[in-house]
Amino acid sequence: MQSLKTLLNERFGFAAFRPYQEAVCRAVADGRDVLLVMPTGAGKSLCYQLPGLARGGTTLVVSPLIALMEDQVAKLKSQGLAAERIHSGRDRLSSREVCRQYLLGKLDFLFIAPERLKVPGFPEMLSKRELSLIAVDEAHCISNWGHDFRTEYRMLGQRLPAFRPTPVIAMTATATPLVQDDIARQLALQEEERFIHGFRRTNIGVEVVEASVGERARIVKEALSLRVRRPAIVYTPTRKEAESLAEELASVDTTAAYHAGLSASDREAVQKRFLAGEIAITVATIAFGMGIDKADIRTVIHTALPGSVEAYYQEIGRAGRDGKPSRAILLHSFFDRRTHNFFLDRDYPDPAVIEKLYKALSNEWETRAAIFKKVSKDPHLGDDEVFDRVLQKLCVHRGAESDFDRGEEGDFEERIRRGRAEWKAPYVAQRDHKRSELDLVARFAESHGCRMVALVRHFGDQEDSGEPCGICDACAPNKCYVRKFRLATPEEQVAMAEIVGALVERPNYAVGRLYRDVFEGSVIDRDRFEDLLGALVRARIVELENDEFEKDGVTIRFERASLGAEAAKAGTSLSSVEIPLTDKRSEKKRSRRGSRPVRTTEGARVEKGARAVPPWLKRRAKSAGAKK
Ligand code: ADP
Ligand code: MG
């Protein structure tokens, strides 16, 4: 076996390994199963390509998108490697030729889409030779718990065992610990080595801004008005919004919309022109992104709350691949949660509706059309789209089995029959999981601490420093594009002194409790309290920690507050604490927390707070109180 370093220099033309690549390549070359989770752009492909070459023979690469496959094959070919692909976009003749080359042992890499393994005869053809490595790219697609589950990935778990003991490397940029476990289980990885690395992006400053729907277009326009903040991607929740915002941004710079409603050729044109720098702003739905490799994207804006932290992290990860300072701006409000709930109810129908279709299935194989006919009178299932969605859920949770008739390649008729009765519990679990993803992303948006630290923790990065990033809206309020701050008023300083005072007496104070104990019934309502608490966190006078408990089988998440690093420092002053400028007090449902009735007993409370604070704060509190 040639040394890995030599292969890196000579076959790939790279001078050095990127962080973690060498360790991963070694494990894979040694025949270990590997689960690799690193962000997009980190260089995961090399981690199967190089050991694949080192092991000799053919590496099978499973990839979800034709565009990704084409891209990778072209790259490998340009490096003089023998790479080929088989997918539905190619004619039979070329596919047959690829198989011939494979059987002759001429291929270093063979790329396929997962559904290819369903094609009768194809796995048998592959088995005629021993594969040297199997690489599963975008492996999160196999998991129900991931944010981009694909039904075609499901069968990998059933098909891969036939190719063992060939080692498997599963790669993804996006997998929480839960998804990591699921990938390993479903692919039946054996004593796999896990590499979970590099989630911290040091050059992306994340800024989260509460904004009503009506003001978002204006904010986006202003944020992107400076030349240095482009190229940019703006993510909108719907196609319609992508279209209308693109129109509005046309006055700023060359702009195009991108969404799944456009034709494939239109989409490709937008993508090409954006990559080539002919379009400065792409306004897109989440359809835009997988495989986008553009180094100089300066800003990524979300005009609404994303569906999960994973999706959010993936999308902002497209900014600043060149390592230069970049910005990610998230606009959100309470309203977004309602929209998400609407889509959730649509995409994850009531189990009772699914049950109806389950009962309509037969133990004999039937075509989709035959089944649809049986339920077409049903108020829910009679709708074509709903029917497909429900059937898909049943297949995923094995309440239905689907198979393909043997037929002409590329021209199969799917048949379906009833599956196991135990589909319900996993379906309900998945539905609940989707809802909890929404909770977590809403919680991320409403949190006060360093944004990058919150993201990195979410992914369970094994060796992150935990240090604040220094550039997000929490770490560097004065660098914000959109959020505006002002100095705390004397009254606010008094109220903050009360918070600090309470924490001196009781560290690890549950935040809800802290509010109730100190402010309930005062002029400080819960939203105002959160603003003040957030300001203290940004000033590092207070620290928050996530905690949770189980109640009636439901996980209740909450935060605990303690004094932070700056609290004890001489010279720390509450008068320099910055409070976010929000002029949306009139927007009633500002947060998920209801406001409390107001009672003015401030004077007495100032006394209580002042007693508890350290000397440097006490002075502040008194003088602030006096000015009032
Ligand atoms: P990922 O799959 O993790 O998103 P890729 O494998 O597509 O990332 O790699 C991103 C880019 O980094 C590619 O252009 C690749 O050629 C480049 N790259 C990977 N490893 C190295 C290396 N060791 N030195 C220089 N460039 C590298
Ligand atoms: Mg990749």
Side-chain angles (χ1 to χ4, degrees), residues 45 72 137-138:
S45 315
Q72 300 244 24
D137 205 1
E138 311 292 349

Side-chain angles (χ1 to χ4, degrees), residues 449-471:
C450 172
R451 305 291 180 182
M452 193 50 69
V453 166
L455 291 172
V456 165
R457 287 214 181 115
H458 182 84
F459 288 99
D461 198 329
Q462 289 162 339
E463 50 185 40
D464 188 80
S465 65
E467 280 296 302
C469 73
I471 52 174

Side-chain angles (χ1 to χ4, degrees), residues 556-578:
I556 312 279
R557 301 191 174 92
F558 68 104
E559 287 171 315
R560 292 186 182 278
S562 299
L563 290 180
E566 294 293 319
K569 282 195 191 152
T572 300
S573 147
L574 289 180
S575 62
S576 60
V577 170
E578 296 186 303

Side-chain angles (χ1 to χ4, degrees), residues 274-445:
F274 184 62
L275 294 182
E278 294 162 20
I279 291 172
I281 306 170
T282 300
V283 188
T285 60
I286 52 171
F288 186 66
M290 206 189 256
I292 294 280
D293 195 3
K294 181 172 170 64
D296 62 347
I297 296 170
R298 294 276 69 88
T299 311
V300 173
I301 300 182
H302 285 76
T303 66
L305 192 72
S308 70
V309 177
E310 283 100 299
Y312 180 65
Y313 180 82
Q314 274 291 90
E315 283 147 17
I316 67 167
R318 294 179 184 127
R321 297 268 172 82
D322 55 10
K324 294 183 186 155
S326 310
R327 199 95 188 144
I329 299 171
L330 166 58
L331 308 178
H332 76 103
S333 77
F334 180 79
F335 178 80
D336 297 336
R337 249 333 262 279
R338 290 210 314 241
T339 316
H340 274 299
N341 284 336
F342 169 80
F343 285 117
L344 193 93
D345 290 339
R346 186 197 69 180
D347 294 341
Y348 290 83
D350 195 292
V353 175
I354 300 188
E355 177 94 49
K356 276 200 259 182
L357 181 60
Y358 177 75
K359 287 193 170 141
L361 294 179
S362 154
N363 290 326
E364 306 301 320
W365 293 109
E366 291 173 297
T367 62
R368 180 197 175 281
I371 301 167
F372 185 65
K373 210 165 156 203
K374 283 199 266 179
V375 295
S376 59
K377 292 279 177 333
D378 185 279
H380 297 286
L381 296 169
D383 180 284
D384 212 46
E385 257 181 55
V386 177
F387 176 83
D388 273 343
R389 205 171 286 134
V390 170
L391 182 59
Q392 195 225 355
K393 299 293 173 218
L394 268 183
C395 285
V396 167
H397 298 288
R398 297 203 264 143
E401 290 175 21
S402 112
D403 205 350
F404 286 83
D405 276 329
R406 191 175 271 271
E408 285 298 288
E409 193 170 332
D411 182 27
F412 307 107
E413 164 114 74
E414 190 173 19
R415 296 177 316 163
I416 295 128
R417 71 178 176 194
R418 184 183 284 179
R420 61 174 190 178
E422 297 80 23
W423 57 269
K424 204 175 205 167
Y427 172 69
V428 170
Q430 191 189 2
R431 198 165 174 249
D432 291 348
H433 174 70
K434 284 284 162 202
R435 224 175 274 281
S436 89
E437 283 189 323
L438 279 180
D439 283 341
L440 286 173
V441 73
R443 188 176 168 190
F444 165 77

